[in-house]
Coordinates of all heavy atoms in Angstrom, one line a residue:
M1467 N 114.3 84.3 103.8 CA 112.9 84.5 103.5 C 112.2 85.6 104.4 O 111.4 86.3 103.9 CB 112.2 83.1 103.6 CG 110.9 83.1 102.9 SD 111.1 83.3 101.2 CE 109.5 83.3 100.6
R1468 N 112.6 85.6 105.6 CA 112.0 86.5 106.6 C 112.4 88.0 106.2 O 111.5 88.9 106.2 CB 112.6 86.3 108.0 CG 112.0 87.1 109.0 CD 112.6 86.8 110.4 NE 114.0 87.0 110.5 CZ 114.6 88.1 110.9 NH1 113.9 89.1 111.3 NH2 115.9 88.2 110.9
D1469 N 113.6 88.2 105.7 CA 114.0 89.5 105.3 C 113.3 90.0 104.0 O 112.9 91.2 103.9 CB 115.5 89.6 105.0 CG 116.3 89.5 106.3 OD1 115.8 89.9 107.4 OD2 117.5 89.0 106.3
V1470 N 113.0 89.1 103.1 CA 112.3 89.4 101.9 C 110.9 89.8 102.3 O 110.3 90.8 101.8 CB 112.3 88.3 100.9 CG1 111.4 88.5 99.7 CG2 113.7 88.0 100.4
A1471 N 110.3 89.0 103.2 CA 108.9 89.3 103.6 C 108.8 90.7 104.3 O 107.9 91.5 104.1 CB 108.4 88.2 104.5
L1472 N 109.8 90.9 105.2 CA 109.9 92.2 105.9 C 110.0 93.4 105.0 O 109.4 94.4 105.1 CB 111.0 92.2 106.9 CG 111.2 93.4 107.8 CD1 109.9 93.5 108.7 CD2 112.4 93.2 108.7
Y1473 N 110.9 93.2 104.0 CA 111.1 94.3 103.0 C 109.9 94.6 102.2 O 109.5 95.7 102.0 CB 112.3 93.9 102.1 CG 112.6 95.0 101.0 CD1 113.1 96.2 101.4 CD2 112.5 94.7 99.7 CE1 113.4 97.2 100.5 CE2 112.8 95.7 98.7 CZ 113.3 96.9 99.1 OH 113.6 97.9 98.2
S1474 N 109.2 93.5 101.8 CA 107.9 93.6 101.0 C 106.9 94.3 101.8 O 106.1 95.1 101.3 CB 107.5 92.2 100.5 OG 108.4 91.7 99.6
L1475 N 106.8 93.9 103.1 CA 105.8 94.5 104.0 C 106.1 95.9 104.2 O 105.1 96.8 104.2 CB 105.7 93.7 105.3 CG 104.7 94.2 106.3 CD1 103.3 94.0 105.8 CD2 104.9 93.5 107.7
A1476 N 107.3 96.3 104.4 CA 107.7 97.7 104.6 C 107.3 98.5 103.4 O 106.8 99.7 103.5 CB 109.2 97.8 104.9
R1477 N 107.6 98.0 102.2 CA 107.2 98.7 101.0 C 105.7 98.9 100.8 O 105.2 99.9 100.4 CB 107.8 98.1 99.8 CG 109.3 98.2 99.7 CD 109.9 97.6 98.5 NE 109.5 98.4 97.3 CZ 109.8 98.1 96.1 NH1 110.4 97.0 95.8 NH2 109.3 98.9 95.1
L1478 N 105.0 97.8 101.2 CA 103.5 97.9 101.1 C 102.9 98.9 102.1 O 102.0 99.7 101.8 CB 102.9 96.5 101.4 CG 101.4 96.4 101.3 CD1 101.0 96.7 99.8 CD2 101.0 95.0 101.6
V1479 N 103.5 98.9 103.3 CA 103.0 99.9 104.3 C 103.3 101.3 103.8 O 102.5 102.2 104.0 CB 103.7 99.6 105.7 CG1 103.5 100.8 106.6 CG2 103.2 98.3 106.3
L1480 N 104.5 101.5 103.2 CA 104.8 102.8 102.7 C 103.8 103.3 101.6 O 103.3 104.4 101.6 CB 106.2 102.8 102.1 CG 106.7 104.1 101.4 CD1 106.8 105.2 102.5 CD2 108.1 103.9 100.8
V1481 N 103.4 102.4 100.7 CA 102.4 102.7 99.7 C 101.1 103.1 100.3 O 100.4 104.0 100.0 CB 102.2 101.5 98.7 CG1 101.0 101.7 97.8 CG2 103.5 101.3 97.9
V1482 N 100.7 102.3 101.4 CA 99.4 102.6 102.0 C 99.4 104.0 102.7 O 98.5 104.8 102.6 CB 99.0 101.5 103.0 CG1 97.9 101.9 103.9 CG2 98.7 100.2 102.3
V1483 N 100.5 104.2 103.4 CA 100.7 105.5 104.1 C 100.7 106.7 103.1 O 100.0 107.7 103.3 CB 102.0 105.6 105.0 CG1 102.3 107.0 105.4 CG2 101.9 104.6 106.1
L1484 N 101.4 106.5 102.0 CA 101.4 107.6 101.0 C 100.0 107.7 100.4 O 99.5 108.9 100.1 CB 102.4 107.3 99.9 CG 103.8 107.4 100.3 CD1 104.8 106.9 99.2 CD2 104.2 108.9 100.6
A1485 N 99.3 106.6 100.1 CA 97.9 106.7 99.5 C 97.0 107.5 100.5 O 96.2 108.3 100.0 CB 97.4 105.3 99.2
V1486 N 97.1 107.1 101.7 CA 96.2 107.8 102.7 C 96.5 109.3 102.8 O 95.6 110.1 102.8 CB 96.3 107.1 104.1 CG1 95.7 108.0 105.2 CG2 95.7 105.7 104.1
A1487 N 97.8 109.6 102.8 CA 98.2 111.0 102.8 C 97.7 111.8 101.5 O 97.2 112.9 101.6 CB 99.7 111.1 102.9
I1488 N 97.9 111.1 100.4 CA 97.4 111.7 99.1 C 95.9 111.9 99.1 O 95.4 112.9 98.6 CB 97.9 110.9 97.9 CG1 99.4 111.0 97.8 CG2 97.2 111.4 96.6 CD1 100.0 110.1 96.8
L1489 N 95.2 111.0 99.8 CA 93.7 111.1 99.8 C 93.2 112.2 100.8 O 92.3 112.9 100.4 CB 93.1 109.7 100.3 CG 92.9 108.7 99.2 CD1 92.4 107.4 99.8 CD2 91.8 109.2 98.2
Y1490 N 93.8 112.2 102.0 CA 93.2 113.1 103.0 C 93.9 114.4 103.2 O 93.2 115.3 103.7 CB 93.3 112.3 104.3 CG 92.3 111.2 104.3 CD1 92.7 109.8 104.2 CD2 90.9 111.4 104.4 CE1 91.8 108.8 104.2 CE2 90.0 110.4 104.3 CZ 90.4 109.1 104.2 OH 89.5 108.0 104.2
I1491 N 95.1 114.6 102.8 CA 95.7 116.0 102.9 C 95.0 117.0 102.0 O 94.7 118.1 102.5 CB 97.2 115.9 102.8 CG1 97.9 115.2 103.9 CG2 97.8 117.3 102.6 CD1 99.4 115.0 103.8
P1492 N 94.7 116.7 100.8 CA 94.0 117.6 99.9 C 92.6 117.9 100.4 O 92.1 119.0 100.1 CB 94.0 116.9 98.5 CG 95.2 116.0 98.6 CD 95.3 115.5 100.0
R1493 N 92.0 117.0 101.1 CA 90.6 117.2 101.6 C 90.6 118.4 102.5 O 89.5 119.0 102.7 CB 90.1 115.9 102.2 CG 89.7 114.9 101.2 CD 89.0 113.8 101.9 NE 88.7 112.7 100.9 CZ 88.1 111.6 101.1 NH1 87.8 111.3 102.4 NH2 87.9 110.7 100.2
A1494 N 91.7 118.6 103.2 CA 91.7 119.8 104.1 C 91.6 121.1 103.3 O 91.2 122.1 103.9 CB 93.0 119.8 104.9
F1495 N 91.9 121.1 102.0 CA 91.8 122.2 101.2 C 90.6 122.2 100.3 O 90.5 123.0 99.3 CB 93.1 122.4 100.4 CG 94.3 122.5 101.2 CD1 95.2 121.5 101.4 CD2 94.6 123.7 101.9 CE1 96.3 121.6 102.2 CE2 95.7 123.8 102.7 CZ 96.6 122.7 102.8
G1496 N 89.7 121.2 100.5 CA 88.5 121.1 99.7 C 88.7 120.4 98.4 O 87.9 120.5 97.5
V1497 N 89.8 119.6 98.2 CA 90.0 118.9 96.9 C 89.8 117.4 97.1 O 90.4 116.8 98.0 CB 91.5 119.2 96.4 CG1 91.8 118.4 95.2 CG2 91.7 120.7 96.3
E1498 N 89.0 116.8 96.3 CA 88.8 115.4 96.3 C 89.6 114.7 95.3 O 89.7 115.1 94.1 CB 87.3 115.1 96.0 CG 86.3 115.5 97.1 CD 86.4 114.6 98.3 OE1 86.6 113.4 98.2 OE2 86.3 115.1 99.4
I1499 N 90.3 113.7 95.7 CA 91.2 112.9 94.8 C 90.6 111.5 94.8 O 90.5 110.9 95.9 CB 92.7 112.9 95.2 CG1 93.2 114.3 95.1 CG2 93.5 112.0 94.4 CD1 94.6 114.5 95.5
P1500 N 90.4 110.9 93.6 CA 89.9 109.5 93.6 C 90.9 108.5 94.2 O 92.1 108.7 94.1 CB 89.7 109.2 92.1 CG 89.6 110.6 91.5 CD 90.4 111.5 92.3
L1501 N 90.4 107.4 94.7 CA 91.2 106.4 95.4 C 92.2 105.8 94.4 O 93.4 105.6 94.7 CB 90.3 105.3 96.0 CG 91.0 104.1 96.6 CD1 91.9 104.6 97.8 CD2 90.1 103.1 97.0
L1502 N 91.8 105.5 93.2 CA 92.6 104.9 92.2 C 93.8 105.8 91.8 O 95.0 105.4 91.7 CB 91.9 104.5 90.9 CG 92.7 103.8 89.8 CD1 93.2 102.5 90.3 CD2 91.8 103.6 88.6
V1503 N 93.5 107.1 91.7 CA 94.6 108.1 91.4 C 95.6 108.2 92.6 O 96.8 108.2 92.4 CB 94.0 109.5 91.1 CG1 95.0 110.5 90.9 CG2 93.1 109.4 89.8
A1504 N 95.0 108.2 93.8 CA 95.9 108.3 95.0 C 96.7 107.0 95.1 O 97.9 107.1 95.4 CB 95.0 108.4 96.2
A1505 N 96.2 105.9 94.8 CA 96.9 104.6 94.8 C 98.0 104.6 93.8 O 99.2 104.2 94.1 CB 96.0 103.4 94.6
L1506 N 97.7 105.0 92.6 CA 98.8 105.1 91.5 C 99.9 106.0 91.9 O 101.1 105.7 91.7 CB 98.1 105.5 90.2 CG 97.2 104.4 89.5 CD1 96.6 105.0 88.3 CD2 98.1 103.2 89.2
F1507 N 99.6 107.2 92.3 CA 100.6 108.2 92.7 C 101.4 107.6 93.9 O 102.6 107.8 94.0 CB 100.0 109.5 93.1 CG 99.8 110.4 91.9 CD1 98.6 110.7 91.5 CD2 100.9 110.9 91.2 CE1 98.4 111.5 90.4 CE2 100.7 111.7 90.1 CZ 99.5 112.0 89.7
A1508 N 100.7 106.9 94.8 CA 101.5 106.4 96.0 C 102.5 105.3 95.5 O 103.6 105.3 96.0 CB 100.5 105.7 97.0
V1509 N 102.1 104.5 94.6 CA 103.0 103.5 94.1 C 104.2 104.1 93.4 O 105.4 103.8 93.6 CB 102.3 102.5 93.1 CG1 103.3 101.6 92.4 CG2 101.3 101.6 93.9
L1510 N 103.9 105.1 92.6 CA 105.0 105.8 91.8 C 105.9 106.6 92.8 O 107.2 106.6 92.5 CB 104.4 106.8 90.8 CG 103.7 106.2 89.6 CD1 103.1 107.3 88.8 CD2 104.7 105.4 88.8
I1511 N 105.4 107.1 93.8 CA 106.3 107.8 94.8 C 107.0 106.8 95.7 O 108.2 107.1 96.0 CB 105.4 108.8 95.6 CG1 104.8 109.9 94.8 CG2 106.2 109.4 96.8 CD1 103.8 110.7 95.4
A1512 N 106.4 105.7 96.0 CA 107.0 104.8 96.9 C 108.2 104.0 96.3 O 109.1 103.6 97.0 CB 106.0 103.7 97.4
L1513 N 108.2 103.9 95.0 CA 109.3 103.1 94.3 C 110.6 103.8 94.6 O 111.5 103.1 95.2 CB 109.0 103.0 92.8 CG 107.9 102.1 92.4 CD1 107.7 102.2 90.9 CD2 108.3 100.7 92.7
P1514 N 110.9 105.0 94.3 CA 112.2 105.6 94.6 C 112.4 105.8 96.1 O 113.5 105.7 96.6 CB 112.3 106.9 93.8 CG 110.9 107.2 93.5 CD 110.1 105.9 93.5
L1515 N 111.3 106.2 96.7 CA 111.4 106.5 98.2 C 111.8 105.3 99.0 O 112.7 105.4 99.9 CB 110.1 107.1 98.7 CG 110.1 107.8 100.0 CD1 111.1 108.9 100.0 CD2 108.7 108.3 100.3
S1516 N 111.3 104.1 98.6 CA 111.7 102.9 99.3 C 113.2 102.5 99.1 O 113.8 101.9 100.0 CB 110.8 101.7 98.9 OG 111.0 101.3 97.6
L1517 N 113.7 102.9 98.0 CA 115.1 102.6 97.7 C 116.0 103.4 98.7 O 117.1 102.9 99.2 CB 115.5 102.9 96.3 CG 114.9 102.1 95.2 CD1 115.3 102.6 93.8 CD2 115.4 100.6 95.4
V1518 N 115.6 104.6 99.1 CA 116.3 105.4 100.0 C 116.0 105.0 101.5 O 116.9 104.8 102.3 CB 116.0 106.9 99.8 CG1 116.7 107.8 100.8 CG2 116.4 107.3 98.4
L1519 N 114.7 104.9 101.8 CA 114.3 104.7 103.2 C 114.7 103.3 103.7 O 115.1 103.1 104.8 CB 112.8 104.8 103.3 CG 112.3 106.3 103.2 CD1 110.8 106.3 103.3 CD2 112.9 107.2 104.2
F1520 N 114.6 102.3 102.8 CA 114.9 100.9 103.2 C 116.2 100.3 102.6 O 116.3 99.1 102.5 CB 113.7 100.0 102.8 CG 112.3 100.6 103.3 CD1 111.3 100.7 102.4 CD2 112.1 100.9 104.6 CE1 110.1 101.2 102.8 CE2 110.9 101.4 105.0 CZ 109.9 101.5 104.1
A1521 N 117.1 101.2 102.4 CA 118.4 100.8 101.8 C 119.1 99.7 102.7 O 119.6 98.7 102.1 CB 119.3 101.9 101.6
P1522 N 119.2 99.8 104.0 CA 119.9 98.8 104.7 C 119.2 97.4 104.7 O 119.8 96.4 104.5 CB 119.9 99.3 106.2 CG 119.7 100.8 106.0 CD 118.9 101.0 104.8
L1523 N 117.9 97.5 104.7 CA 117.1 96.2 104.6 C 117.3 95.6 103.2 O 117.4 94.4 103.1 CB 115.6 96.5 104.9 CG 114.7 95.3 105.0 CD1 115.2 94.3 106.0 CD2 113.3 95.8 105.3
R1524 N 117.3 96.4 102.2 CA 117.4 95.9 100.8 C 118.8 95.3 100.6 O 118.9 94.3 100.0 CB 117.2 97.1 99.8 CG 117.3 96.7 98.4 CD 117.0 97.8 97.4 NE 117.5 99.1 97.8 CZ 118.8 99.5 97.6 NH1 119.6 98.7 96.9 NH2 119.2 100.7 97.9
R1525 N 119.8 96.0 101.2 CA 121.2 95.4 101.1 C 121.3 94.0 101.8 O 121.9 93.1 101.3 CB 122.2 96.4 101.8 CG 122.6 97.4 100.8 CD 123.8 98.2 101.3 NE 123.5 99.6 101.1 CZ 123.2 100.5 102.0 NH1 123.1 100.2 103.2 NH2 122.9 101.7 101.6
R1526 N 120.6 93.9 103.0 CA 120.6 92.7 103.7 C 119.9 91.6 102.9 O 120.4 90.4 102.9 CB 119.9 92.9 105.1 CG 120.1 91.7 106.0 CD 119.8 92.1 107.4 NE 118.3 92.2 107.5 CZ 117.7 92.9 108.5 NH1 118.4 93.5 109.4 NH2 116.4 92.9 108.5
V1527 N 118.8 91.9 102.3 CA 118.1 91.0 101.4 C 119.0 90.5 100.3 O 119.1 89.3 100.0 CB 116.8 91.6 100.9 CG1 116.2 90.8 99.8 CG2 115.7 91.7 102.0
N1528 N 119.6 91.5 99.6 CA 120.5 91.1 98.5 C 121.7 90.2 99.0 O 122.1 89.3 98.2 CB 121.1 92.4 97.9 CG 120.0 93.2 97.1 OD1 119.0 92.6 96.7 ND2 120.3 94.4 96.8
E1529 N 122.2 90.5 100.2 CA 123.3 89.7 100.7 C 122.8 88.2 100.9 O 123.5 87.3 100.6 CB 123.9 90.3 101.9 CG 124.7 91.5 101.7 CD 125.0 92.3 103.0 OE1 124.6 91.8 104.1 OE2 125.7 93.3 102.9
R1530 N 121.7 88.1 101.5 CA 121.1 86.8 101.8 C 120.8 86.0 100.5 O 121.1 84.8 100.4 CB 119.9 86.9 102.6 CG 120.1 87.5 104.0 CD 120.4 86.5 105.0 NE 120.9 87.1 106.3 CZ 120.1 87.4 107.3 NH1 118.8 87.1 107.3 NH2 120.6 88.0 108.4
I1531 N 120.3 86.7 99.5 CA 120.0 86.1 98.2 C 121.3 85.6 97.5 O 121.4 84.6 97.0 CB 119.2 87.0 97.3 CG1 117.8 87.2 97.9 CG2 119.1 86.5 95.9 CD1 116.9 88.2 97.2
A1532 N 122.3 86.5 97.6 CA 123.6 86.1 97.0 C 124.2 84.9 97.7 O 124.8 84.0 97.1 CB 124.6 87.3 97.1
A1533 N 124.1 84.8 99.1 CA 124.6 83.7 99.8 C 123.8 82.4 99.4 O 124.5 81.3 99.2 CB 124.4 83.9 101.3
V1534 N 122.5 82.5 99.2 CA 121.8 81.3 98.8 C 122.2 80.9 97.4 O 122.4 79.7 97.1 CB 120.2 81.6 98.9 CG1 119.4 80.5 98.2 CG2 119.8 81.7 100.3
D1535 N 122.3 81.9 96.5 CA 122.8 81.6 95.1 C 124.1 80.9 95.1 O 124.4 80.0 94.4 CB 122.8 82.8 94.3 CG 121.4 83.3 93.9 OD1 120.5 82.5 94.0 OD2 121.3 84.5 93.4
E1536 N 125.1 81.4 95.9 CA 126.4 80.8 96.0 C 126.4 79.4 96.5 O 127.0 78.5 96.0 CB 127.3 81.7 96.9 CG 128.7 81.2 96.9 CD 129.4 81.0 95.6 OE1 129.2 81.9 94.7 OE2 130.2 80.1 95.4
R1537 N 125.5 79.2 97.5 CA 125.4 77.8 98.1 C 124.8 76.9 97.0 O 125.3 75.7 96.8 CB 124.5 77.9 99.3 CG 124.6 76.7 100.2 CD 123.9 76.9 101.5 NE 123.7 78.2 101.9 CZ 122.5 78.8 102.3 NH1 121.4 78.0 102.4 NH2 122.4 80.0 102.7
R1538 N 123.8 77.3 96.3 CA 123.2 76.5 95.2 C 124.2 76.2 94.1 O 124.3 75.1 93.6 CB 122.0 77.2 94.6 CG 120.8 77.1 95.5 CD 119.6 77.8 94.8 NE 118.5 77.8 95.7 CZ 117.4 78.5 95.6 NH1 117.3 79.3 94.5 NH2 116.4 78.5 96.4
R1539 N 125.0 77.3 93.7 CA 126.0 77.1 92.7 C 127.1 76.1 93.1 O 127.5 75.2 92.3 CB 126.7 78.5 92.4 CG 127.2 78.6 91.0 CD 127.7 80.0 90.8 NE 126.6 81.0 90.7 CZ 126.5 82.0 91.5 NH1 127.4 82.3 92.4 NH2 125.4 82.8 91.5
S1540 N 127.5 76.1 94.4 CA 128.5 75.2 94.9 C 127.9 73.8 94.9 O 128.6 72.9 94.5 CB 128.9 75.7 96.3 OG 129.7 74.7 96.9
T1541 N 126.7 73.6 95.4 CA 126.1 72.3 95.4 C 125.9 71.7 94.1 O 126.2 70.5 93.8 CB 124.7 72.4 96.1 OG1 124.9 73.0 97.4 CG2 124.0 71.1 96.2
R1542 N 125.5 72.6 93.1 CA 125.4 72.1 91.7 C 126.7 71.7 91.1 O 126.8 70.7 90.5 CB 124.7 73.2 90.9 CG 124.5 72.7 89.5 CD 123.9 73.8 88.6 NE 123.8 73.4 87.3 CZ 122.8 73.7 86.4 NH1 121.9 74.5 86.9 NH2 122.8 73.3 85.2
A1543 N 127.7 72.5 91.4 CA 129.1 72.1 90.8 C 129.6 70.8 91.4 O 130.2 70.0 90.7 CB 130.1 73.3 91.1
D1544 N 129.3 70.6 92.7 CA 129.7 69.4 93.4 C 129.0 68.2 92.8 O 129.6 67.2 92.5 CB 129.5 69.5 94.9 CG 129.9 68.3 95.7 OD1 131.0 67.8 95.4 OD2 129.1 67.8 96.5
L1545 N 127.7 68.4 92.6 CA 126.9 67.3 92.0 C 127.3 67.0 90.6 O 127.5 65.8 90.2 CB 125.4 67.7 92.0 CG 124.4 66.7 91.4 CD1 124.4 65.4 92.1 CD2 123.0 67.3 91.3
E1546 N 127.6 68.0 89.8 CA 128.0 67.8 88.4 C 129.4 67.0 88.4 O 129.6 66.1 87.6 CB 128.1 69.1 87.7 CG 126.8 69.6 87.3 CD 126.9 71.0 86.6 OE1 128.0 71.6 86.6 OE2 125.8 71.5 86.2
S1547 N 130.3 67.4 89.3 CA 131.6 66.8 89.4 C 131.4 65.3 89.8 O 132.1 64.4 89.3 CB 132.6 67.5 90.3 OG 132.3 67.2 91.6
R1548 N 130.5 65.0 90.7 CA 130.3 63.6 91.1 C 129.7 62.8 90.0 O 130.0 61.7 89.9 CB 129.4 63.6 92.4 CG 130.2 64.0 93.6 CD 129.5 63.7 94.9 NE 128.4 64.7 95.0 CZ 127.2 64.5 95.6 NH1 126.9 63.3 96.1 NH2 126.3 65.5 95.6
L1549 N 128.8 63.4 89.3 CA 128.2 62.7 88.1 C 129.2 62.4 87.0 O 129.0 61.4 86.3 CB 127.0 63.6 87.6 CG 125.7 63.6 88.4 CD1 124.7 64.6 87.8 CD2 125.1 62.2 88.5
R1550 N 130.2 63.3 86.9 CA 131.2 63.0 85.9 C 132.2 62.0 86.4 O 133.1 61.6 85.7 CB 131.9 64.3 85.6 CG 131.2 65.3 84.7 CD 132.0 66.4 84.1 NE 132.6 67.2 85.2 CZ 132.1 68.3 85.7 NH1 130.9 68.8 85.2 NH2 132.7 68.9 86.7
G1551 N 132.1 61.6 87.7 CA 133.1 60.7 88.2 C 134.3 61.3 88.8 O 135.2 60.6 89.2
E1552 N 134.4 62.6 88.9 CA 135.5 63.3 89.4 C 135.4 63.3 91.0 O 134.3 63.2 91.5 CB 135.6 64.7 88.9 CG 135.7 64.8 87.4 CD 135.6 66.2 86.9 OE1 135.3 67.1 87.8 OE2 135.7 66.4 85.7
G1553 N 136.5 63.4 91.6 CA 136.5 63.5 93.1 C 136.5 62.2 93.8 O 136.6 62.1 95.0
R1554 N 136.3 61.1 93.0 CA 136.4 59.8 93.7 C 137.8 59.3 93.6 O 138.5 59.3 92.6 CB 135.5 58.8 93.0 CG 134.0 59.1 93.1 CD 133.2 58.1 92.5 NE 131.8 58.5 92.5 CZ 130.8 57.7 92.1 NH1 131.1 56.6 91.5 NH2 129.6 58.2 92.1
T1555 N 138.2 58.7 94.7 CA 139.6 58.2 94.7 C 139.6 56.7 95.0 O 138.7 56.2 95.5 CB 140.5 58.9 95.7 OG1 139.9 58.9 97.0 CG2 140.8 60.3 95.2

């Protein structure tokens, strides 16, 4: 759960940083960009960028989720076999 929260937080920070950059860099050239437009562009840019920048963290999250899924699958299979009466000697 900690890795998922960390990955989500990292992506959110990336969106905020991009939105701030999109808002304030053009102001140096006298161009005003609305906040909503900057936020939308930041989200669109952050989606593929986060896949590259946070690839190791994303892989770790995927591995942990796969481990939890495997544990649940194993527990469920064990429970189903016990409910069928298998495994008792």
Side-chain angles (χ1 to χ4, degrees):
M1467 195 65 182
R1468 183 180 62 93
D1469 289 332
V1470 173
L1472 183 62
Y1473 182 64
S1474 298
L1475 181 64
R1477 290 184 68 185
L1478 184 61
V1479 168
L1480 179 63
V1481 169
V1482 170
V1483 167
L1484 287 171
V1486 168
I1488 292 170
L1489 274 175
Y1490 291 106
I1491 291 175
R1493 284 188 184 177
F1495 302 103
V1497 178
E1498 289 287 325
I1499 296 180
L1501 178 62
L1502 183 59
V1503 173
L1506 288 174
F1507 275 111
V1509 168
L1510 289 175
I1511 294 169
L1513 286 173
L1515 196 57
S1516 67
L1517 291 176
V1518 174
L1519 292 177
F1520 307 130
L1523 184 56
R1524 183 176 40 85
R1525 277 191 224 105
R1526 193 167 69 202
V1527 166
N1528 288 341
E1529 288 169 0
R1530 300 270 169 94
I1531 290 173
V1534 168
D1535 283 347
E1536 182 58 37
R1537 203 172 330 133
R1538 285 182 183 164
R1539 207 173 293 120
S1540 173
T1541 302
R1542 181 179 175 149
D1544 182 48
L1545 176 62
E1546 287 176 350
S1547 77
R1548 286 189 288 149
L1549 287 173
R1550 285 191 302 265
E1552 299 170 0
R1554 292 185 186 179
T1555 54

